[in-house]
């Protein structure tokens, strides 16, 4: 049976605040702060537990090998000898934001009736541009069943993420390789106003689920045209637009109101919005949400989760997960979690993840050894030895 599965990226033991993503206001603002990898990963695990309590199917992606020694070798250096900026880029735990891992087309939308996943090249950000080999290896294990087709990235220089760095050619190439009907595809441009305000991805100003588009008034370059095209192709669409007069772009972006998980609850089919605590702490945002839930809108329930460590590096609840519509029985069971598996993962995180990483520690050989041994212990416990070679 097809279900939406949220695959959350487990926050890796190298989680640190190096400020590597220009345009991401939170990441640059917190650059140089002391991070807490252990607390970050445990927060992410609690978020996954919250989804399980809602009756949702929950998956997991595991941290990639960091530092990325192969990438550094391709640049003619080793971690111990690399300049500081390359050390930071090689150590980045940004693969935790699984929403950027791949573009997914569910089986009902594709020509061959299979679920297609195209790994992102993330080419415009140096610290993310070397993620794809590890991500591709992991996805090909998780989705090895014939029900899936996992594609390598669109080649550079075609950028495939972020509003000011995503080429239309990349999106169109993915639509073609996934066998999507051109008549059912929309390629929509994000507004320059939203980009200038700090919306580095569209999921900072809009999110969709089923027939519902939840969006800020200033999300799209051609707001009315986009709405009209959606209604023409999908008459049942319900557009929930938050007016700028009620919630400013600044409040929407700082609270990550739209970088929430909009999910359909089992049972009555009502929708819930899984929000960061920052949304509750922003009065204009919380007031609008309370009014919407009290009315007849499609969002019937608000769930607040603490992902402050991820938020401080520029990623909210939606950044931490990749949505895949599939039969959970066709996914490698090592990538599907229940409470028992999360208990085991949490034990390893609590015992092995660094408690803190200060900016001046990233060159410390003992820290690097701890990061690498922590990941090795986790993958060994999860019986994923094939990922230890990435």
């Amino acid at each position: 049976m097809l279900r939406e599965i949220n695959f959350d990226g487990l926050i890796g033991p190298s989680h640190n605040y190096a400020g590597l993503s220009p345009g991401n206001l939170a990441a640059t603002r917190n650059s140089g702060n002391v991070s807490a990898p252990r607390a970050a990963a445990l927060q992410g695990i609690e978020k996954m537990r919250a989804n399980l309590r809602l009756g949702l199917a929950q998956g997991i992606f595991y941290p990639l090998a960091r530092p990325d020694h192969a990438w550094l070798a391709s640049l003619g250096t080793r971690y111990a000898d690399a300049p500081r900026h390359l050390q930071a880029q090689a150590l980045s735990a940004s693969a935790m934001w699984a929403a950027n891992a791949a573009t997914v087309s569910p089986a009902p939308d594709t020509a061959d009736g299979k679920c297609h996943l195209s790994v992102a090249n993330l080419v415009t950000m140096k610290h993310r541009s070397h993620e794809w080999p590890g991500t591709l290896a992991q996805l090909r294990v998780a989705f090895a069943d014939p029900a899936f087709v996992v594609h390598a990235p669109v080649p550079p220089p075609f950028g495939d993420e972020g509003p000011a760095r995503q080429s239309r050619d990349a999106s169109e190439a993915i639509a073609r390789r996934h066998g999507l009907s051109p008549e059912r595809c929309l390629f929509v441009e994000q507004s320059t106003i939203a980009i200038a305000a700090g919306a580095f991805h569209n999921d900072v100003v809009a999110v969709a689920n089923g027939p519902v588009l939840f969006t800020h008034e200033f999300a799209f370059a051609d707001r009315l045209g986009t709405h009209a095209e959606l209604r023409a192709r999908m008459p049942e669409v319900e557009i929930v637009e938050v007016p700028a007069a009620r919630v400013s772009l600044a409040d929407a972006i700082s609270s990550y109101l739209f970088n929430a998980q909009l999910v359909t609850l089992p049972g009555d089919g009502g929708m819930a919005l899984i929000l960061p605590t920052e949304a509750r702490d922003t009065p204009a945002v919380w007031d609008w949400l309370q009014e919407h839930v009290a009315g007849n809108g499609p969002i019937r329930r608000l769930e607040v989760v603490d992902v402050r460590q991820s938020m401080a590096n520029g990623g909210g609840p939606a950044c931490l997960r990749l949505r895949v519509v599939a039969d959970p029985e066709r996914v490698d069971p090592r990538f599907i979690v229940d409470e028992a598996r999360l208990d085991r993962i949490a034990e390893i995180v609590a015992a092995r993840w660094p408690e803190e990483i200060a900016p001046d520690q990233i060159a410390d050989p003992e820290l690097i050894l701890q990061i690498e041994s922590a990941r090795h212990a986790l993958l060994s416990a999860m019986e994923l030895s094939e990922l230890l070679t990435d």
Side-chain angles (χ1 to χ4, degrees), residues 358-380:
D360 59 0
Q361 283 184 280
I362 69 167
D364 182 353
E366 290 188 8
L367 173 66
I368 301 307
L369 180 60
Q370 182 181 4
I371 288 169
E372 293 181 327
S373 64
R375 176 177 180 267
H376 191 285
L378 174 67
L379 294 182
S380 296

Side-chain angles (χ1 to χ4, degrees), residues 240-324:
V240 179
E241 186 178 79
V242 180
R246 291 293 309 277
V247 176
S248 68
L249 271 175
D251 278 349
I253 292 168
S254 65
S255 68
Y256 273 32
L257 165 62
F258 298 97
N259 197 253
Q261 290 180 242
L262 183 58
V263 299
T264 300
L265 298 171
D268 63 6
M271 292 193 186
L273 196 63
I274 301 169
L275 298 143
T277 54
E278 287 81 354
R280 184 180 56 195
D281 296 340
T282 305
V285 168
W286 197 245
D287 288 348
W288 187 92
L289 286 168
Q290 293 295 309
E291 288 182 20
H292 179 82
V293 171
N296 292 319
I299 301 170
R300 309 307 309 152
R301 181 170 174 174
L302 305 176
E303 294 289 329
V304 178
V305 295
D306 179 2
V307 288
R308 292 182 188 274
Q309 281 286 313
S310 176
M311 288 284 288
N313 224 356
C319 283
L320 287 164
R321 64 90 178 97
L322 182 71
R323 296 196 288 186
V324 180

Side-chain angles (χ1 to χ4, degrees), residues 4 18 47 112 116 151 153 158 165 186 245 274 283 289 299 356 359:
E4 179 176 282
K47 173 182 173 292
D112 61 4
H116 286 248
H151 302 268
F158 301 108
R165 49 190 191 249
L186 286 179
I274 301 169
L289 286 168
I299 301 170
E356 292 184 342

Side-chain angles (χ1 to χ4, degrees), residues 98-231:
N100 307 127
T103 300
V104 184
S105 296
D109 292 340
T110 66
D112 61 4
K114 297 185 178 185
C115 176
H116 286 248
L117 303 93
S118 282
V119 174
N121 62 37
L122 302 170
V123 69
T124 58
M125 289 289 168
K126 295 183 181 68
H127 67 292
R128 303 211 67 174
S129 66
H130 57 97
E131 283 178 21
W132 72 263
T135 299
L136 180 62
Q138 187 159 179
L139 295 188
R140 284 185 168 163
V141 174
F143 304 110
D145 190 277
F148 303 97
V149 180
V150 179
H151 302 268
V154 172
F158 301 108
D160 58 8
E161 63 89 25
R165 49 190 191 249
Q166 179 160 349
S167 76
R168 181 171 177 134
D169 283 331
S171 297
E172 290 178 343
I174 290 170
R176 288 192 296 268
R177 60 161 56 165
H178 289 195
L180 304 181
S181 169
E183 295 76 22
R184 300 181 65 192
C185 292
L186 286 179
F187 299 96
V188 178
E189 183 181 358
Q190 185 170 317
S191 76
T192 56
I193 296 172
I195 296 169
F200 55 97
H201 288 142
N202 191 249
D203 64 5
V204 179
V205 285
V207 62
N209 180 53
V212 175
L213 171 64
F214 179 45
T215 177
H216 192 272
E217 180 183 356
F218 293 154
F220 303 112
D222 180 6
R223 168 179 166 265
L224 295 179
T226 297
H227 292 182
E229 287 197 62
L230 270 174
R231 290 187 174 106

Side-chain angles (χ1 to χ4, degrees), residues 11 15 35-45 306 309 349 353-355:
I11 299 174
H15 164 66
S35 68
R38 187 182 306 165
L42 293 175
Q43 286 172 2
I45 291 168
D306 179 2
Q309 281 286 313
V349 166
W353 260 230
E355 187 172 359

